[in-house]
């Protein structure tokens, strides 16, 4: 159980990347008073956590209704996560997210906590796919409770990073953010390949 909890926490942490979202938060809340920034920093993680908890509780039921098996979602989700890791390693994810946040802020200045911070930066396709993959074989017992607790823990880390975003950006600097993004991308790539391997193994087992 401890190994499961640790693996689930590391996987979701790598996908959401709270530290990497700090520049996006700064861009999305640029020009706002400090009081409003704190409100956004508290609200966005709560919204994202609510979305991911609903996915954890009802996502697999939805997959069954659509006739999608867990192995198929493991393979598809693994490929999707690999795409995210590829962008982290070879792309410019933190700066790209900051530019997207800046653009979205101009278009949706009334509620940046919902878009783009909660959706799609925190509770985006990668995080949703990861949550579904983790809950695929968890059932409705202790493992599901652990996953929900992990969702809240990761979103709490996002909240802490948002609150201290200015300090993090200054401490890491441009080079530090780039190095961190690529190291996390390598780890996420390994996890995503493992998801695909597990999915293929499950398909082969069901056919044999």
């Amino acid at each position: 159980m401890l190994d499961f909890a640790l693996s689930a926490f590391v996987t979701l942490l790598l996908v959401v990347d709270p530290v990497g979202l700090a520049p996006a938060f700064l861009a999305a809340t640029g020009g706002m008073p400090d009081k409003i920034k704190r409100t956004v920093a508290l609200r966005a993680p709560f919204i994202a956590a609510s979305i991911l908890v609903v996915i954890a509780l009802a996502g697999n039921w939805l997959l069954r209704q659509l006739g999608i098996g867990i192995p198929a979602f493991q393979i598809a989700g693994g490929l999707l996560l690999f795409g995210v890791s590829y962008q982290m390693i070879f792309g410019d994810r933190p700066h790209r997210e900051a530019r997207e946040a800046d653009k979205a802020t101009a278009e949706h200045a009334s509620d940046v906590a919902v878009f783009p911070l909660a959706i799609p930066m925190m509770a985006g396709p990668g995080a949703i796919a990861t949550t579904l993959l983790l809950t695929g074989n968890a059932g409705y017992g202790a493992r599901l409770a652990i996953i929900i607790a992990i969702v809240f823990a990761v979103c709490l880390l996002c909240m802490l990073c948002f609150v201290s975003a200015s300090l993090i950006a200054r401490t890491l600097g441009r080079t530090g953010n780039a190095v961190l993004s690529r190291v996390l991308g390598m780890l996420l790539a390994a996890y995503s390949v493992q998801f695909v391997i597990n999915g293929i193994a499950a398909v082969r087992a069901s056919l044999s």
Side-chain angles (χ1 to χ4, degrees), residues 17-181:
D17 186 16
V19 175
L21 290 178
F25 174 81
L26 291 174
T29 57
M32 293 183 180
D34 289 342
K35 183 178 180 180
I36 301 299
K37 286 185 178 181
R38 285 193 296 270
T39 301
V40 173
L42 297 176
R43 189 179 180 195
F46 177 78
I47 295 171
S50 300
I51 294 170
L52 294 178
V53 167
V54 170
I55 293 296
L57 294 174
N60 287 289
W61 172 84
L62 179 60
L63 290 181
R64 287 195 298 271
Q65 298 304 308
L66 296 175
I68 301 174
I70 294 300
F73 200 87
Q74 284 179 315
I75 295 172
L79 294 174
L80 175 61
L81 293 182
F82 187 82
V84 174
S85 68
Y86 183 89
Q87 292 178 352
M88 292 174 69
I89 297 170
F90 297 104
D92 192 22
R93 187 184 179 201
H95 297 93
R96 175 176 53 81
E97 287 176 338
R99 289 192 298 268
E100 289 175 355
D102 189 48
K103 179 181 177 182
T105 301
E107 298 172 352
H108 304 276
S110 60
D111 205 348
V112 297
V114 177
F115 180 87
L117 292 178
I119 307 169
M121 291 186 177
M122 295 173 63
I128 291 173
T130 301
T131 303
L132 282 171
L133 289 172
L134 293 174
T135 57
N137 298 315
Y140 289 94
R143 291 191 172 218
L144 180 60
I146 289 174
I147 292 171
I148 292 175
I150 288 170
V151 166
F152 281 111
V154 171
C155 289
L156 177 61
L157 288 176
C158 287
M159 183 185 300
L160 295 176
C161 288
F162 289 166
V163 170
S164 56
S166 298
L167 177 62
I168 292 174
R170 287 196 303 268
T171 301
L172 291 179
R174 186 175 191 136
T175 302
N177 278 312
V179 170
L180 180 63
S181 178

Side-chain angles (χ1 to χ4, degrees), residues 174-198:
R174 186 175 191 136
T175 302
N177 278 312
V179 170
L180 180 63
S181 178
R182 280 153 180 79
V183 171
L184 294 179
M186 283 294 297
L187 293 174
L188 182 57
Y191 274 108
S192 65
V193 171
Q194 187 62 52
F195 278 134
V196 173
I197 292 173
N198 292 343

